[in-house]
Structure formats: structure tokens, C-alpha cells
Amino acid sequence: MEQLAAEISGAYAEGKDVMLLGDYNINLLVSSEVAKLKMFTNNVDLKIVNKNVPTRVTEHSESLIDHFIRKTPKDFNCFVADPNFSTDHWLLTYI
């Protein structure tokens, strides 16, 4: 995480926009796991954009483990989960 934080700081120093996308396996629907990711994002001045909609849904469970993180989330209006996409993770898209 320290290396990633250093890369993010370097990108900020160069005036670049920073976005992190991926399957972090940190479930934001489970309160005990939220602190881990929030601590990191706060330290590097980033915000979690998708906070409420599950991104992985099975017959027996739902989780929000795929994250879109960036400094200025207000630039994005909404996210659409697509249950027809052929994977056990729903597709995140932005408009």
C-alpha cells in the first residue's frame, strides 16, 4: 500500500487525475471491512464512488467488492449494475 500511495502522490505532483478500479475483495457492505479501505483512500485524498450497490451477487450472498475510486467523484452521475453480463461480478459503468 505504501508503494501505491507513493505512485498516487507522484501522479498528483504531475497534475494527473487518479482513478482506481478493480476487485479489491474488501466488502463495503460489511462495516468491519469498510475502515480498511476508507483509511487508505483518506490518506491519499481519494473517494469511493460506488458505495451502496452490490457488485457481486450469487444465489446466497451479495457483496460490494469491486470499487471505483477517484479524487472527484462528483464528475460521475450514476452506476449501473448489469446482471446479464456473464460473470459473477456485475459490470460497473458510468454515465
Side-chain angles (χ1 to χ4, degrees), residues 21-59:
L21 304 151
D23 178 349
Y24 291 87
N25 285 326
I26 298 171
N27 186 1
L28 295 185
L29 301 179
V30 176
S31 60
S32 62
E33 295 189 22
V34 173
K36 298 174 196 176
L37 188 57
K38 281 200 167 201
M39 183 185 305
F40 175 76
T41 57
N42 288 340
N43 288 340
V44 294
D45 195 26
L46 292 173
K47 308 285 184 272
I48 303 165
V49 178
N50 61 318
K51 299 179 190 175
N52 302 315
V53 177
T55 57
R56 183 170 188 273
V57 177
T58 69
E59 275 186 49

Side-chain angles (χ1 to χ4, degrees), residues 6 8 11 19 30 34-35 37-38 60 65 80-81 84 87 90 95:
I8 291 169
M19 287 184 253
V30 176
V34 173
L37 188 57
K38 281 200 167 201
H60 307 288
I65 57 176
V80 178
N84 298 314
T87 179
W90 287 6
I95 299 170

